[in-house]
Amino acid sequence: MDRIVDLVRKKRDAEELTLEEIERLINGYARGEIQDYQMAAFLMAGACNDFSEAEAASLTTAMLRCGQPLDLSGINKPKVDTHSTGGVGDKVGIIAAPIAAAAGLAVPVIAEPGFGHVGGTLDKLQSIPSFRTDLTRDEFMEIVAAHGLAFASQSNELAPADKKLYSLRDATATVDSPALIAASVMSKKMAEGLDALVLDVKVGRGSLLKSKTESRRLAQLMITIGRRMNLRIQALLTDMDQPLGYTVGNALEIMEASQTLQGQGPQDLAGLAVEVAARMIYLAKNDVSLETARSTAQGLLDDGSAFAVLQNVIRAQGGNADALTQFELLPNATGEHIITSPREGYISRINADDIGRAAVLLGSGRERMGDNIDPAVGIILQAKVGDAVAAGAGLCALYYTDEAQLTEAVQLVEDAFRLSSNQPEPRDLVVDLVQ
Ligand code: URA
């Protein structure tokens, strides 16, 4: 049998590793038998030489098998989830998941923390007072069975190698390898025991992968992996050049998700959430047309059924559901800084990457894995791309509790906005469908 160093060498020399070899690496690393330095070398060799489709699938299988996937066979409903590769102001999953649950599906969400400039569903939900995500397997299954939806954090049993590998990738500049992202995402999603999955792969300035070609490749890779595992799967490529909706920051995004579920959300956010939910219904039910699924999803949003699901789930997980209507119960920042327009014009760009990084400087996200975050802080946009603004009109407000990095954050936000004298052409939020 090859030594670990021989497997690292093989990847360094751009040779393809077998499933068995990849399982040795992943299991050995998860059990602490392989050191960080050898795994880091392997990851870097793969990130530079690229992994084949078969290797990406093997990585997924190995990461899935080294944990204990959920068994939801006792819940007699199709199981479905959505996954976003992460954006700025992206609270789509918190709206789409209750819509899908209200449509009679089971949505077992293993939610993730944010990383870098990209927010995470877990951090957003944890800004709700007393909300618990450290559910036992039994609690998780009971809540899914009762309400069609539960949100848990990743445990040491579900795809445990991913947690350890992700920290190492974060520290070794190997996060943005499409194959490593695909294996990381798909191993966690497959551990949920799903029948169907809708991916929302972001493209544009605020997305994880900056080029559209790479984002499309990532979508295709995840679809190939999902199909090999008998999952019904589709990916939307959606625009992340400017933030989604108006809020960026954990409690602020819960507020906007809640407003959207009560019929008062911004059109871009509500439209995308309904589209994602419709595709969840369409793929999971397998016997409805996409048009029917769209009108079902819209109806469940409009009549308050989806909001009721979210309220019930928040209560079932110990959270104060009143915070979904009385926003003063959410964590509140102490300081506000308004940024105004230097002149009259149309907003032609709001760089989502800059806004996301500014929000991290305020404390809403992590520079490094394990950093603490402040749930109260963030940014509320007061205008979006295409809007006309007068000189001196508000462009956005920064909410902070600590002034240490405020000046730097303000600079980034000011740089994020571009004005032009002509109104830019409206752009579609859904750029493409990969299936
Ligand atoms: N999200 C994940 O879950 N994993 C990655 O590697 C990147 C984004």
Side-chain angles (χ1 to χ4, degrees):
M1 191 189 280
D2 283 339
R3 294 169 306 154
I4 296 303
V5 68
D6 297 323
L7 300 183
V8 175
R9 182 178 301 112
K10 225 173 150 178
K11 197 64 242 170
R12 183 202 66 187
D13 296 342
E15 287 177 47
E16 189 174 64
L17 269 67
T18 64
L19 171 60
E20 197 196 4
E21 289 168 334
I22 288 180
E23 282 202 295
R24 266 188 70 209
L25 281 161
I26 297 294
N27 289 337
Y29 187 60
R31 288 198 294 259
E33 294 159 11
I34 294 178
Q35 304 303 317
D36 279 350
Y37 53 80
Q38 281 189 309
M39 198 54 168
F42 170 73
L43 294 174
M44 185 56 83
C48 293
N49 288 330
D50 216 348
F51 292 99
S52 67
E53 244 174 51
E55 284 176 318
S58 300
L59 280 163
T60 311
T61 304
M63 287 160 75
L64 175 66
R65 283 191 192 154
C66 96
Q68 288 176 289
L70 289 172
D71 176 8
L72 298 177
S73 54
I75 300 175
N76 192 18
K77 292 175 174 178
K79 325 297 178 294
V80 65
D81 195 4
T82 177
H83 177 86
S84 159
T85 55
V88 179
D90 180 8
K91 59 291 271 182
V92 168
I94 300 171
I95 305 161
I99 299 177
L105 305 173
V107 191
V109 182
I110 306 296
E112 288 160 23
F115 48 93
H117 71 284
V118 165
T121 300
L122 187 66
D123 296 330
K124 297 174 210 220
L125 290 166
Q126 285 177 339
S127 70
I128 299 170
S130 321
F131 187 69
R132 278 184 52 224
T133 53
D134 58 341
L135 306 177
T136 63
R137 266 172 191 258
D138 286 349
E139 284 174 320
F140 186 59
M141 302 223 222
E142 274 163 28
I143 298 170
V144 175
H147 303 287
L149 169 66
F151 296 100
S153 34
Q154 201 177 345
S155 72
N156 290 333
E157 296 170 358
L158 287 159
D162 179 62
K163 221 173 174 174
K164 212 173 157 192
L165 277 171
Y166 194 90
S167 299
L168 190 62
R169 286 168 57 207
D170 192 40
T172 55
T174 51
V175 166
D176 54 4
S177 146
L180 294 176
I181 298 173
S184 162
V185 168
M186 294 305 291
S187 61
K188 283 177 289 192
K189 290 295 139 184
M190 295 310 300
E192 294 177 352
L194 302 178
D195 301 304
L197 175 65
V198 176
L199 298 165
D200 178 3
V201 178
K202 303 294 184 191
V203 294
R205 290 189 181 90
S207 57
L208 186 60
L209 300 177
K210 301 296 173 216
S211 92
K212 193 164 158 190
T213 312
E214 277 197 309
S215 295
R216 185 184 297 278
R217 187 174 159 233
L218 173 62
Q220 268 156 352
L221 199 48
M222 290 195 284
I223 287 178
T224 304
I225 294 171
R227 293 251 163 81
R228 282 181 181 221
M229 296 178 160
N230 293 324
L231 194 64
R232 295 194 288 279
I233 181 166
Q234 284 188 346
L236 294 172
L237 294 190
T238 69
D239 182 66
M240 186 33 73
D241 249 13
Q242 67 169 330
L244 200 51
Y246 285 80
T247 63
V248 180
N250 298 297
L252 297 174
E253 293 191 43
I254 288 295
M255 180 179 78
E256 193 173 46
S258 177
Q259 287 167 330
T260 305
L261 282 165
Q262 295 175 77
Q264 289 152 9
Q267 198 253 323
D268 62 342
L269 177 61
L272 183 54
V274 167
E275 183 63 21
V276 168
R279 289 182 183 274
M280 291 167 82
I281 296 167
Y282 168 70
L283 286 185
K285 292 207 165 167
N286 222 9
D287 61 352
V288 294
S289 70
L290 183 57
E291 272 324 301
T292 305
R294 282 190 179 123
S295 71
T296 302
Q298 188 66 55
L300 294 166
L301 178 70
D302 293 344
D303 71 7
S305 309
F307 185 54
V309 168
L310 185 65
Q311 287 176 303
N312 290 335
V313 170
I314 300 295
R315 278 188 208 106
Q317 295 191 214
N320 184 353
D322 292 343
L324 296 179
T325 47
Q326 299 166 46
F327 300 133
E328 66 280 7
L329 298 176
L330 290 169
N332 273 293
T334 48
E336 180 187 58
H337 179 100
I338 307 278
I339 291 181
T340 56
S341 179
R343 61 186 173 87
E344 180 186 282
Y346 291 96
I347 298 180
S348 57
R349 195 184 91 179
I350 308 176
N351 186 334
D353 188 26
D354 287 344
I355 299 286
R357 285 190 295 126
V360 172
L361 287 176
L362 296 176
S364 80
R366 299 176 183 80
E367 311 258 11
R368 292 257 69 84
M369 298 285 288
D371 285 355
N372 287 328
I373 57 162
D374 182 344
V377 300
I379 296 169
I380 301 188
L381 303 177
Q382 293 168 348
K384 301 259 324 226
V385 171
D387 289 348
V389 287
L395 294 179
C396 72
L398 278 59
Y399 293 94
Y400 60 93
T401 47
D402 178 351
E403 287 188 36
Q405 304 200 76
L406 180 63
T407 310
E408 213 182 318
V410 167
Q411 187 66 54
L412 267 176
V413 174
E414 283 174 352
D415 289 349
F417 281 85
R418 287 278 182 283
L419 294 169
S420 73
S421 40
N422 300 319
Q423 188 168 30
E425 288 291 319
R427 287 166 48 161
D428 289 335
L429 192 53
V430 177
V431 177
D432 210 347
L433 169 70
V434 184
Q435 56 183 341

